[in-house]
Structures are given as C-alpha cells and as structure tokens.
Amino acid sequence: MKPTLLLAVHGTRDPRGTATAHSLALKVAHTTGLPVRLAFADVLTPTVTDTAADLPGPLVVVPAFLTNGHHVRTDIPRQLARAGRADAAVTPGLGDHPALAEAAAHRLHHAGHRPGDAVVMAAVGTRDPRALLELARHARALSHRLRTPVHIGHITTGTPTVPEQVAHLRARGHTRVSIASWLLAPGLFHQRLAAAGADTVAAPLCPHPAVARAVIDRYHSHLPAARS
C-alpha cells in the first residue's frame, strides 16, 4: 500500500486561500494517483492531529510552507505525536525546492515585470534566524532566475517591510519596482501588497503547476522513511 500523502497547510479565513489548498491537494492526487488528504496546522479544521489519527498505514506529511519555521519544526510534529503518529515521515517545507523559484519568476513575468525593474520578494515575515537564512537562499535562487538582485520585504513580522523596501529602492533611483509574491495562496497578506507602492505585484505561487511538482517530489524523497 502506498503511504498516504498528508498535505499540511496553514489555515486561513479567506475562502480563496482555502479553495487554493483544496485545489493543490486535488492536483497532486490527480497527477499521481496517490491517496492524498488535506489538513490544517492552524486556524481551520480538520487539524493535522485529527486527520493523522484517522489514517491507517504509513504516512508522509508534506508541509505546504515556504520556510521551515515553527509550524514545520515544532507544531506539526507535536500534532502528529498527539495523534499517536510519531512514526509519520515529515518532509521539509517547499521553499528550497527549485520549482518554487521557477514559479515565482513565471508569476512575476506574467504580472508585467520588465527588464531593469527592481525586485522585492514579499514574504510573510519571521524573526527566526534559521528561517531568515532560508529566505535569503530563496531570494538568491529567484535572483539567479531573474538575473537581477532580489531584495526581501516582510509583510508582517520582521524588517524591512515590503513598503519600506519599495521606498528604499525608489530612493536609490529605481523608477520601477516589481513585487514577487513569496506566498502560496491569496488572502489578507497578498492583499496588503497592493498598497506597498510597487508598479507590479505578482500573484501568489499557487496554482502554478510547479508547486504541485514540489509537493510530489517531497513525498517521493521520504518514502523510505515512511516504510521503515
């Protein structure tokens, strides 16, 4: 029996974000023929604990997060332990997968990014030193794709904020600034980017097919752990 793929996402009260999560799970299931279940690490139900407790057999949990912050390192393993599923294999988040930089570049070009535009990568934000290092790696990967410097802006926690980063680039003489959305789904965080002062704001990464590809690759890379 193939291990079930449990897609663990951050919940949102924005129905568009929830619909995006369900669409991603369906895309992965349709592409692979795998048993796929969706669960929420926060805000919504079914929770990771409830879903994992109901699943028999081997289990691979793929956290649909762009950095390996608190939810990936601590919260999801804790919820699995409460479900009696400490045996489940938990993959890293998606951010380091090269398909994500590909998706971000495609989204940015589709939004109207022009050669010569300054680029801000808009992330939710974190003060976790390890997650900040991850964001720096993601920005470098996107910079390599775009062949231009990419500057990080934080939407919530952390500095500089996205508007501050946009203003800083304007002050340095950039006449056009584009925002690459380092977000998986639409919602409040993405809505805030419209007021950041940029010329172009890219859509979130989903439903770009590269995101589903990253989920599938994470699953396959952890099959030996799930079967052991």
Side-chain angles (χ1 to χ4, degrees):
M1 181 175 66
K2 293 181 179 178
T4 298
L5 190 162
L6 177 57
L7 184 65
V9 304
H10 196 295
T12 174
R13 292 184 176 86
D14 189 308
R16 296 171 301 164
T18 304
T20 298
H22 282 283
S23 295
L24 178 59
L26 288 171
K27 176 67 173 177
V28 171
H30 178 74
T31 302
T32 63
L34 292 169
V36 178
R37 294 285 297 274
L38 178 69
F40 297 94
D42 201 358
V43 181
L44 298 178
T45 58
T47 66
V48 171
T49 296
D50 294 340
T51 305
D54 288 340
L55 291 172
L59 182 63
V60 176
V61 182
V62 180
F65 291 82
L66 295 178
T67 59
N68 294 301
H70 172 77
H71 282 300
V72 177
R73 291 195 181 99
T74 304
D75 187 36
I76 290 173
R78 186 179 294 156
Q79 291 196 48
L80 290 168
R82 285 201 297 267
R85 293 307 310 263
D87 61 305
V90 182
T91 81
L94 303 179
D96 278 327
H97 194 286
L100 273 294
E102 172 192 339
H106 286 176
R107 285 285 191 249
L108 192 60
H109 287 306
H110 184 73
H113 170 74
R114 301 176 187 173
D117 286 2
V119 177
V120 176
M121 188 182 82
V124 172
T126 179
R127 290 193 178 93
D128 184 317
R130 292 172 296 182
L132 287 170
L133 288 174
E134 289 179 38
L135 282 177
R137 289 200 304 270
H138 305 335
R140 288 194 295 270
L142 182 57
S143 175
H144 179 74
R145 284 266 176 188
L146 297 173
R147 299 183 180 181
T148 193
V150 171
H151 308 268
I152 299 171
H154 300 268
I155 301 172
T156 56
T157 305
T159 56
T161 65
V162 177
E164 288 171 346
Q165 193 67 276
V166 171
H168 173 69
L169 291 167
R170 298 275 194 211
R172 290 175 56 185
H174 292 279
T175 57
R176 282 183 53 88
V177 180
S178 294
I179 292 177
S181 302
W182 199 244
L183 301 167
L184 283 174
L188 177 62
F189 292 153
H190 188 262
Q191 289 174 12
R192 293 181 183 179
L193 300 181
D199 299 277
T200 298
V201 178
L205 301 181
C206 283
H208 193 283
V211 180
R213 189 163 75 246
V215 171
I216 294 165
D217 285 351
R218 287 288 193 253
Y219 170 87
H220 285 298
S221 70
H222 278 67
L223 283 181
R227 289 172 177 156
S228 61

